[in-house]
């Protein structure tokens, strides 16, 4: 293959690029996450994290936790019970349901490893495979042995659960629409 030939992104890269595009709509003042649900190599829904439909966005003080994130009231990893935001993975699964798309046997692509709650919901929705780009770091309290064991039990129920990799130089070239060789 010559440098002049264009290599399209792999299917996994393509769906992850769509999740990255969905992430640009996220309005959370913390982490911005995007997700895509795919069945039979077709996108059936997308989602990003933010407030429920019709509610003010986080940047408009729609979420109490986000509005107070710079205070000592909600240290990292705490106060999620007050967070009104819907996670990207939840939004993608819920959008599929809203528009009558079955998620049974589907694949979830996310820009971040799904949290415990999203993993439960994905499994319950019939998602079979999960691929994610970025891992998250365990917050104090989330390293509880029972939670770690329960998360591992959930992960084991998926046919695949993997962290995907798109090297930074390849990602930059794919996003720029440049020709990308297979030797990368």
């Amino acid at each position: 293959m010559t440098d002049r030939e264009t290599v399209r992104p792999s299917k996994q890269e393509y769906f992850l690029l769509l999740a990255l595009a969905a992430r640009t709509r996220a309005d959370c003042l913390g982490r911005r996450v995007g997700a895509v649900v795919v069945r039979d190599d077709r996108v059936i829904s997308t989602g990003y994290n933010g407030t429920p439909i019709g509610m003010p966005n986080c940047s408009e003080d729609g979420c109490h936790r986000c509005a107070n994130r710079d205070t000592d009231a909600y240290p990292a990893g705490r106060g999620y019970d007050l967070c009104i935001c819907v996670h990207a993975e939840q939004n993608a699964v819920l959008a599929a349901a809203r528009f009558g798309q079955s998620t049974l046997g589907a694949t979830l692509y996310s820009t971040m490893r799904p949290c415990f709650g999203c993993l439960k919901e994905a499994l319950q929705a019939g998602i079979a495979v999960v691929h994610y780009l970025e891992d998250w770091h365990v917050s104090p309290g989330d390293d509880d042995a029972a939670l770690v064991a329960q998360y591992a039990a959930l992960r084991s129920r998926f046919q695949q659960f993997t962290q995907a990799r798109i090297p930074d130089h390849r990602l930059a070239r794919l996003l720029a629409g440049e020709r990308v060789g297979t030797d990368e």
Side-chain angles (χ1 to χ4, degrees):
M1 176 164 288
T2 69
D3 288 339
R4 308 272 320 152
E5 295 180 62
T6 300
V7 176
R8 300 183 323 180
S10 69
K11 286 181 181 178
Q12 183 178 71
E13 288 173 331
Y14 172 69
F15 296 129
L16 289 166
L17 288 169
L18 292 176
L20 286 166
R23 179 174 77 176
T24 65
R25 291 283 304 152
D27 192 55
C28 181
L29 300 179
R31 291 187 176 137
R32 295 167 46 115
V33 181
V36 176
V37 177
V38 174
R39 193 180 66 244
D40 299 326
D41 289 335
R42 298 286 180 233
V43 173
I44 61 172
S45 64
T46 64
Y48 53 87
N49 56 327
T51 58
I53 294 171
M55 301 289 294
N57 287 313
C58 293
S59 61
E60 303 163 330
D61 292 336
C63 176
H64 178 76
R65 184 175 183 277
C66 279
N68 292 284
R69 69 178 297 105
D70 294 329
T71 70
D72 292 334
Y74 305 110
R78 297 287 174 239
Y80 290 114
D81 52 333
L82 295 173
C83 181
I84 197 169
C85 292
V86 181
H87 288 189
E89 300 88 348
Q90 292 169 322
N91 268 326
V93 169
L94 292 168
R98 184 178 328 125
F99 297 112
Q101 296 293 318
S102 172
T103 54
L104 187 61
T107 299
L108 172 68
Y109 292 89
S110 181
T111 59
M112 181 146 306
R113 178 165 54 111
C115 71
F116 185 70
C118 287
L119 206 57
K120 290 188 297 185
E121 292 158 7
L123 186 62
Q124 193 68 6
I127 300 290
V129 175
V130 175
H131 298 294
Y132 62 93
L133 277 174
E134 300 171 22
D135 207 350
W136 40 260
H137 302 286
V138 177
S139 298
D142 289 342
D143 56 354
D144 175 81
L147 180 59
V148 170
Q150 289 289 76
Y151 192 92
L154 285 172
R155 281 180 68 154
S156 72
R157 304 298 298 182
F158 292 91
Q159 292 173 10
Q160 288 182 16
F161 190 95
T162 61
Q163 183 173 10
R165 302 273 188 219
I166 303 177
D168 288 342
H169 67 281
R170 181 168 171 85
L171 178 61
R173 290 179 68 191
L174 286 168
L175 291 173
E178 294 180 17
R179 298 186 188 287
V180 180
T182 57
D183 59 336
E184 298 181 49

